[in-house]
Amino acid sequence: AVCGRRSRPGPPTLAHSPRTAPHAMASRLFGKATPKAPAPTTADISQKLGASADGIDGKIQKLETELARYTSQMKNMKDGPAKKQVQKRAMQILKQKKMYEAQRDRTQQQQFNMDQIGFTKDTLVDTKDTVNAMKAGLKDMKKEFKKMDLGKIEDLQDDMADMMEQAEEIQSTLGRSYAQDDVDDADLEAELAAMEDDPSLFFQAEESGEADYLSLPSTGTGEASATTATKEEALPSAQPA
């Protein structure tokens, strides 16, 4: 007899878990997939090709050193099997050198092509940025021009010109001389010519230091006083009676 205990459910299996997605099941069994590496850029490929060309140059230099050593040996050797053996080895080295040089040239050409592609790409990006900047600048210019009124600017210029003209008239009025007779230029020229001929006529009083009022001609008052005094002396004096 069962004692009234409830049987505990067993652990859920994959078949009894409807919420478990297929990719989650695969992740539990095989692990998560590693993310893909970013695709190499033209700069990365160019750098890689440059390193490869440098490595080939190193190999060529080693072959040139070995070839120079064999060439020096052949100069001092007599004709025979030994010299032919050294010559054969030098021919192999020279053949390898030619192959490496051709491979280096191809690698450098590929690097040049990658550099050209990268340069063209950068130029296009810069051109796009330049065009966008020009569009934004043109938009800002139109916005600022809408805030300006050409008619008001012309009116402002006219008002400024009128104010400057009025200011000039005021300055001319303030600088005008009062109670000054008009002097003829011909008279001034004649007086100046006379001064050049005989300056003493005009500057004598100033040179002597005598005041103008001291050199004035005498009037008839003094003569009349002397005549009166003479007449009084000629009259007989009155005798007392």
Side-chain angles (χ1 to χ4, degrees):
V2 182
C3 300
R5 295 180 180 178
R6 296 181 181 180
S7 60
R8 296 180 180 179
T13 59
L14 295 178
H16 293 87
S17 302
R19 296 181 180 179
T20 304
H23 64 274
M25 295 170 55
S27 298
R28 291 179 181 178
L29 295 175
F30 304 104
K32 295 182 179 180
T34 57
K36 293 183 179 179
T41 61
T42 54
D44 297 335
I45 296 175
S46 176
Q47 185 177 2
K48 184 177 180 180
L49 291 173
S52 178
D54 293 339
I56 295 173
D57 278 332
K59 294 180 180 179
I60 293 173
Q61 291 177 1
K62 290 180 180 180
L63 292 175
E64 288 178 350
T65 302
E66 190 174 356
L67 184 61
R69 181 168 59 85
Y70 285 133
T71 305
S72 178
Q73 288 180 2
M74 286 188 296
K75 288 182 180 179
N76 300 324
M77 294 177 66
K78 296 181 180 180
D79 295 337
K83 186 176 181 180
K84 289 183 179 180
Q85 188 68 23
V86 175
Q87 187 177 4
K88 182 178 179 181
R89 178 58 181 167
M91 291 290 292
Q92 293 178 353
I93 294 175
L94 182 60
K95 184 177 181 180
Q96 292 180 3
K97 178 176 176 293
K98 294 293 183 182
M99 292 175 60
Y100 280 127
E101 287 177 349
Q103 186 178 359
R104 180 196 59 187
D105 294 340
R106 289 193 299 268
T107 303
Q108 290 179 348
Q109 183 62 39
Q110 292 176 6
Q111 182 184 12
F112 177 76
N113 293 337
M114 290 295 102
D115 292 339
Q116 288 295 106
I117 293 173
F119 177 75
T120 304
K121 181 181 178 181
D122 294 339
T123 303
L124 292 176
V125 173
D126 295 339
T127 303
K128 181 181 178 181
D129 295 338
T130 303
V131 172
N132 293 333
M134 292 175 63
K135 289 180 179 180
L138 181 60
K139 183 178 180 181
D140 295 337
M141 290 175 62
K142 289 181 178 180
K143 185 184 297 184
E144 294 298 329
F145 269 114
K146 288 181 180 179
K147 300 177 182 179
M148 299 181 183
D149 189 355
L150 183 59
K152 292 182 179 180
I153 295 175
E154 292 178 352
D155 294 341
L156 179 61
Q157 290 291 334
D158 294 338
D159 294 340
M160 290 294 295
D162 294 339
M163 292 297 295
M164 295 298 293
E165 185 176 357
Q166 292 178 8
E168 186 176 358
E169 292 178 357
I170 292 173
Q171 294 296 327
S172 299
T173 302
L174 293 176
R176 185 173 57 188
S177 300
Y178 299 99
Q180 182 178 1
D181 297 335
D182 293 336
V183 181
D184 191 4
D185 293 340
D187 295 339
L188 293 176
E189 292 178 358
E191 185 176 355
L192 182 61
M195 292 173 63
E196 293 178 356
D197 295 338
D198 191 2
S200 61
L201 296 176
F202 299 91
F203 301 103
Q204 183 176 5
E206 296 181 0
E207 292 177 357
S208 61
E210 184 180 3
D212 293 340
Y213 64 87
L214 296 178
S215 61
L216 293 175
S218 60
T219 59
T221 306
E223 296 178 356
S225 300
T227 304
T228 304
T230 304
K231 288 181 180 182
E232 289 178 356
E233 291 177 357
L235 290 177
S237 57
Q239 298 293 328

